[in-house]
Amino acid sequence: MRKKSIILFILLLCMAFGVVCYVTWMRGIEEAIHFIKEDSPREILWGESLAEKDFVELDSSARDATVLFHYDDSIINKEQLLTVTVSCNGYKTSRAFNLTIVDRDPPIIKYTGPVKIESDPNVRLSDYLKVYDVRPYDKVVFDLQEKDGDKAYRYYEYTCDENNQTCSFDEDAVGVHNIHISAYDGHGNQAYKTIKIIVTSPAYH
């Protein structure tokens, strides 16, 4: 009976020692993970990428750690929550960061047509418009299309003056017209441009 008690005591002692070693090991991993401290929300430019070093630093004892994070790069100019999760040999920890992807640049409107246009019912102003948005970080260009429907997200539209409310360029539109163009990039940025077009009578040959 005494021998069994000694064996049981040794087993319990080994188990307790194992638990202490495991806790110490886990604490060592925990101390090897250093999340970046931030006093204000993180801001990056639209198009800019993030890496694990932007959120966490790992000591050598956590070199096998896996760092996972995800954010929605379609949410622009609105704060979102980004959760960073670090896993290493059974230990797991997370930290939340506030992130805003920033785009403060308005879209660009360019008119490429002539100042004078011969009256023609087939002429469309959109054929002479180049409207686009430029991603600020890498300068990638995104074309904006003419508005089509009420649910358009990023688009441009134009209105003509009271003398040509339908924006047609037929013979009834002969004269000088101010055309107002508006562009919306879907991120809260807008651009406006007014152009003057002279519609002339058709030249008959």
Side-chain angles (χ1 to χ4, degrees):
M1 187 71 179
R2 179 179 175 83
K3 185 176 180 181
K4 290 182 178 180
S5 297
I6 293 174
I7 293 173
L8 180 62
F9 174 76
I10 293 174
L11 287 174
L12 291 174
L13 189 63
C14 290
M15 291 175 62
F17 180 73
V19 169
V20 170
C21 289
Y22 179 78
V23 170
T24 302
W25 183 39
M26 289 292 103
R27 185 176 296 123
I29 295 176
E30 179 183 3
E31 292 175 351
I33 300 171
H34 310 284
F35 285 103
I36 305 297
K37 294 182 179 180
E38 294 186 339
D39 298 326
S40 58
R42 173 74 63 88
E43 287 190 355
I44 61 172
L45 289 175
W46 178 35
E48 186 175 356
S49 298
L50 291 168
E52 63 180 54
K53 63 180 179 59
D54 295 315
F55 303 103
V56 63
E57 295 178 350
L58 303 174
D59 294 342
S60 58
S61 55
R63 62 181 179 274
D64 296 329
T66 300
V67 181
L68 299 175
F69 61 90
H70 173 74
Y71 58 95
D72 190 339
D73 58 6
S74 68
I75 300 177
I76 312 296
N77 293 332
K78 293 181 181 179
E79 191 172 291
Q80 60 178 294
L81 195 65
L82 182 153
T83 301
V84 180
T85 301
V86 183
S87 304
C88 183
N89 297 322
Y91 177 80
K92 192 174 190 178
T93 183
S94 299
R95 181 73 56 85
F97 295 83
N98 292 316
L99 173 69
T100 301
I101 303 174
V102 177
D103 173 27
R104 297 188 178 95
D105 299 332
I108 296 170
I109 303 171
K110 289 185 177 181
Y111 174 69
T112 61
V115 175
K116 292 184 179 182
I117 296 177
E118 288 187 11
S119 61
D120 183 345
N122 296 317
V123 171
R124 285 177 49 82
L125 184 67
S126 56
D127 295 336
Y128 298 114
L129 287 175
K130 174 70 174 176
V131 186
Y132 57 93
D133 196 22
V134 179
R135 197 159 61 187
Y137 183 74
D138 52 9
K139 308 306 178 185
V140 173
V141 172
F142 296 86
D143 290 328
L144 272 63
Q145 304 300 320
E146 185 176 357
K147 185 177 181 180
D148 182 15
D150 295 330
K151 296 183 178 180
Y153 171 64
R154 45 195 303 163
Y155 61 92
Y156 74 87
E157 59 184 351
Y158 54 85
T159 57
C160 297
D161 54 34
E162 60 184 11
N163 296 322
N164 186 16
Q165 294 183 2
T166 60
C167 289
S168 62
F169 296 93
D170 55 20
E171 291 189 26
D172 293 334
V174 171
V176 180
H177 302 281
N178 292 309
I179 301 175
H180 310 284
I181 308 161
S182 305
Y184 307 87
D185 68 357
H187 303 157
N189 303 306
Q190 304 172 8
Y192 304 96
K193 189 181 187 71
T194 298
I195 60 175
K196 181 178 290 186
I197 292 180
I198 302 172
V199 181
T200 63
S201 298
Y204 297 102
H205 303 284

Coordinates of all heavy atoms in Angstrom, one line a residue, residues 20-37 55-65 86-95:
V20 N 3.4 22.9 -14.8 CA 4.2 24.1 -14.6 C 5.1 24.4 -15.8 O 5.2 25.6 -16.3 CB 5.1 23.9 -13.3 CG1 6.1 25.1 -13.2 CG2 4.3 23.9 -12.1
C21 N 5.7 23.4 -16.4 CA 6.5 23.5 -17.6 C 5.7 24.1 -18.8 O 6.1 25.0 -19.5 CB 7.2 22.2 -18.0 SG 8.5 21.7 -16.8
Y22 N 4.4 23.5 -18.9 CA 3.6 23.9 -20.0 C 3.2 25.4 -19.8 O 3.2 26.2 -20.8 CB 2.3 23.0 -20.1 CG 1.4 23.4 -21.1 CD1 1.6 23.1 -22.5 CD2 0.2 24.1 -20.9 CE1 0.7 23.4 -23.5 CE2 -0.7 24.5 -21.9 CZ -0.4 24.1 -23.2 OH -1.3 24.5 -24.1
V23 N 2.8 25.7 -18.6 CA 2.4 27.1 -18.3 C 3.5 28.1 -18.6 O 3.3 29.2 -19.1 CB 1.8 27.3 -16.9 CG1 1.6 28.7 -16.5 CG2 0.5 26.5 -16.7
T24 N 4.7 27.7 -18.1 CA 5.9 28.5 -18.3 C 6.2 28.7 -19.8 O 6.5 29.8 -20.3 CB 7.1 27.9 -17.6 OG1 6.8 27.7 -16.2 CG2 8.3 28.8 -17.8
W25 N 6.0 27.6 -20.5 CA 6.3 27.6 -22.0 C 5.3 28.6 -22.7 O 5.6 29.4 -23.5 CB 6.2 26.2 -22.6 CG 6.4 26.1 -24.0 CD1 7.4 26.8 -24.7 CD2 5.8 25.2 -25.0 NE1 7.4 26.4 -26.0 CE2 6.4 25.5 -26.2 CE3 4.7 24.3 -24.9 CZ2 6.0 24.8 -27.4 CZ3 4.3 23.6 -26.0 CH2 4.9 23.9 -27.2
M26 N 4.0 28.4 -22.3 CA 2.9 29.3 -22.9 C 3.2 30.7 -22.5 O 3.0 31.6 -23.3 CB 1.6 28.9 -22.3 CG 1.0 27.5 -22.9 SD 0.7 27.6 -24.7 CE 2.1 26.7 -25.4
R27 N 3.6 31.0 -21.3 CA 3.9 32.4 -20.9 C 5.1 32.9 -21.7 O 5.1 34.1 -22.0 CB 4.2 32.4 -19.4 CG 4.4 33.8 -18.8 CD 4.6 33.9 -17.4 NE 3.4 33.4 -16.6 CZ 3.4 32.4 -15.8 NH1 4.6 31.7 -15.5 NH2 2.3 32.1 -15.1
G28 N 6.0 32.1 -22.0 CA 7.2 32.5 -22.8 C 6.7 32.9 -24.2 O 7.2 33.9 -24.7
I29 N 5.8 32.1 -24.7 CA 5.3 32.5 -26.1 C 4.5 33.8 -26.0 O 4.6 34.6 -26.9 CB 4.4 31.3 -26.6 CG1 5.2 30.1 -26.9 CG2 3.7 31.8 -27.9 CD1 4.4 28.9 -27.3
E30 N 3.7 33.9 -24.9 CA 2.9 35.1 -24.8 C 3.8 36.3 -24.7 O 3.5 37.4 -25.3 CB 2.0 35.0 -23.5 CG 1.2 36.2 -23.2 CD 0.4 36.1 -21.9 OE1 0.6 35.1 -21.2 OE2 -0.4 37.0 -21.6
E31 N 4.9 36.2 -23.9 CA 5.8 37.4 -23.8 C 6.6 37.6 -25.1 O 7.2 38.7 -25.2 CB 6.7 37.1 -22.6 CG 6.0 37.1 -21.3 CD 6.9 36.7 -20.1 OE1 8.1 36.2 -20.4 OE2 6.5 36.8 -18.9
A32 N 6.6 36.7 -26.0 CA 7.3 36.9 -27.2 C 6.5 37.6 -28.3 O 7.0 37.9 -29.4 CB 7.8 35.5 -27.8
I33 N 5.2 37.8 -28.0 CA 4.3 38.4 -29.0 C 4.0 39.8 -28.5 O 3.5 40.0 -27.4 CB 3.0 37.6 -29.1 CG1 3.3 36.2 -29.6 CG2 2.0 38.3 -30.0 CD1 2.1 35.2 -29.5
H34 N 4.4 40.8 -29.3 CA 4.2 42.2 -28.9 C 3.3 42.9 -30.0 O 3.7 43.1 -31.1 CB 5.6 42.9 -28.9 CG 6.6 42.1 -28.1 ND1 6.6 42.1 -26.7 CD2 7.6 41.4 -28.5 CE1 7.6 41.4 -26.3 NE2 8.2 40.9 -27.3
F35 N 2.1 43.2 -29.6 CA 1.2 43.9 -30.5 C 1.6 45.4 -30.5 O 2.0 45.9 -29.4 CB -0.2 43.8 -30.0 CG -0.9 42.5 -30.3 CD1 -1.0 41.5 -29.3 CD2 -1.3 42.2 -31.6 CE1 -1.6 40.3 -29.6 CE2 -1.9 41.0 -31.9 CZ -2.0 40.0 -30.9
I36 N 1.5 46.0 -31.6 CA 1.9 47.4 -31.8 C 0.8 48.3 -31.0 O -0.4 48.1 -31.2 CB 1.9 47.9 -33.2 CG1 2.9 47.0 -34.0 CG2 2.3 49.3 -33.4 CD1 4.3 47.0 -33.5
K37 N 1.3 49.2 -30.2 CA 0.4 50.1 -29.4 C 0.1 51.3 -30.3 O 1.0 51.9 -30.9 CB 1.0 50.5 -28.1 CG 1.2 49.3 -27.1 CD 1.8 49.8 -25.8 CE 1.9 48.7 -24.8 NZ 2.5 49.1 -23.5
F55 N 1.3 45.3 -37.3 CA 0.5 45.1 -36.1 C 1.2 44.4 -34.9 O 0.8 44.5 -33.8 CB -0.8 44.3 -36.5 CG -1.6 44.9 -37.5 CD1 -1.5 44.4 -38.8 CD2 -2.4 46.0 -37.3 CE1 -2.3 45.0 -39.9 CE2 -3.1 46.6 -38.3 CZ -3.1 46.1 -39.6
V56 N 2.2 43.5 -35.3 CA 2.7 42.7 -34.2 C 4.2 42.4 -34.5 O 4.6 42.3 -35.6 CB 2.0 41.3 -34.1 CG1 2.1 40.5 -35.4 CG2 2.4 40.5 -32.9
E57 N 5.0 42.3 -33.4 CA 6.4 42.0 -33.5 C 6.6 40.7 -32.7 O 6.0 40.5 -31.6 CB 7.3 43.1 -32.9 CG 7.2 44.4 -33.7 CD 8.1 45.5 -33.0 OE1 8.5 45.3 -31.8 OE2 8.2 46.6 -33.6
L58 N 7.4 39.8 -33.3 CA 7.6 38.5 -32.7 C 9.0 38.2 -32.3 O 9.9 38.5 -33.1 CB 7.1 37.4 -33.7 CG 5.7 37.5 -34.2 CD1 5.5 36.4 -35.3 CD2 4.7 37.3 -33.1
D59 N 9.3 37.8 -31.1 CA 10.6 37.4 -30.7 C 10.9 36.0 -31.3 O 10.1 35.3 -31.8 CB 10.7 37.4 -29.2 CG 10.6 38.8 -28.6 OD1 10.8 39.7 -29.3 OD2 10.3 38.8 -27.3
S60 N 12.2 35.6 -31.1 CA 12.6 34.4 -31.7 C 11.9 33.1 -31.2 O 11.7 32.2 -31.9 CB 14.1 34.2 -31.5 OG 14.4 34.2 -30.1
S61 N 11.4 33.2 -30.0 CA 10.7 32.0 -29.4 C 9.3 31.9 -30.0 O 8.7 30.8 -29.8 CB 10.6 32.2 -27.9 OG 10.0 33.4 -27.5
A62 N 8.9 32.9 -30.8 CA 7.6 32.8 -31.4 C 7.7 32.8 -32.9 O 6.8 33.2 -33.7 CB 6.6 33.9 -30.9
R63 N 8.9 32.4 -33.4 CA 9.2 32.5 -34.9 C 8.3 31.6 -35.7 O 8.1 31.8 -36.9 CB 10.6 32.2 -35.1 CG 11.0 30.8 -34.8 CD 12.5 30.5 -35.0 NE 13.0 29.2 -34.6 CZ 13.4 28.9 -33.4 NH1 13.4 29.8 -32.5 NH2 13.7 27.6 -33.2
D64 N 7.7 30.6 -35.1 CA 6.8 29.7 -35.8 C 5.3 30.1 -35.8 O 4.4 29.4 -36.2 CB 6.8 28.3 -35.2 CG 8.2 27.6 -35.4 OD1 8.9 28.0 -36.4 OD2 8.6 26.8 -34.5
A65 N 5.1 31.3 -35.2 CA 3.7 31.8 -35.1 C 3.1 32.1 -36.4 O 3.7 32.4 -37.4 CB 3.7 33.1 -34.2
V86 N -2.9 35.8 -33.5 CA -1.6 35.1 -33.5 C -1.7 33.8 -32.9 O -2.2 33.6 -31.8 CB -0.5 36.0 -32.8 CG1 0.8 35.3 -32.9 CG2 -0.5 37.4 -33.4
S87 N -1.3 32.7 -33.6 CA -1.3 31.3 -33.1 C 0.1 30.8 -33.1 O 0.8 30.9 -34.1 CB -2.2 30.5 -34.0 OG -3.5 31.0 -34.0
C88 N 0.5 30.1 -32.0 CA 1.8 29.5 -31.9 C 1.8 28.4 -31.0 O 1.6 28.5 -29.8 CB 2.8 30.6 -31.5 SG 4.5 30.0 -31.4
N89 N 2.0 27.2 -31.5 CA 2.2 26.0 -30.7 C 1.1 25.8 -29.7 O 1.3 25.5 -28.5 CB 3.5 25.9 -30.0 CG 4.7 25.9 -31.0 OD1 4.6 25.2 -32.1 ND2 5.7 26.6 -30.7
G90 N -0.2 26.0 -30.1 CA -1.3 25.8 -29.2 C -1.7 27.1 -28.4 O -2.8 27.1 -27.9
Y91 N -0.9 28.1 -28.5 CA -1.3 29.4 -27.8 C -1.9 30.3 -28.9 O -1.4 30.3 -30.0 CB 0.0 30.1 -27.2 CG -0.3 31.4 -26.6 CD1 -0.9 31.5 -25.4 CD2 0.0 32.6 -27.3 CE1 -1.1 32.7 -24.8 CE2 -0.3 33.8 -26.8 CZ -0.9 33.9 -25.5 OH -1.1 35.1 -25.0
K92 N -2.9 31.0 -28.5 CA -3.7 31.8 -29.4 C -4.1 33.1 -28.7 O -4.6 33.1 -27.6 CB -4.9 31.1 -30.0 CG -5.6 31.8 -31.1 CD -6.7 30.9 -31.7 CE -7.2 31.3 -33.0 NZ -8.2 30.4 -33.5
T93 N -3.9 34.2 -29.4 CA -4.3 35.5 -28.8 C -4.7 36.5 -30.0 O -4.3 36.3 -31.1 CB -3.1 36.2 -28.0 OG1 -3.6 37.4 -27.4 CG2 -1.9 36.5 -28.9
S94 N -5.5 37.4 -29.6 CA -6.0 38.4 -30.6 C -6.0 39.8 -30.1 O -6.1 40.0 -28.9 CB -7.5 38.0 -31.0 OG -7.5 36.7 -31.6
R95 N -6.0 40.7 -31.1 CA -6.1 42.1 -30.7 C -6.8 42.8 -31.8 O -6.6 42.6 -33.0 CB -4.7 42.7 -30.6 CG -4.6 44.2 -30.2 CD -5.0 44.4 -28.8 NE -4.2 43.7 -27.8 CZ -3.0 44.1 -27.3 NH1 -2.5 45.2 -27.8 NH2 -2.4 43.3 -26.5

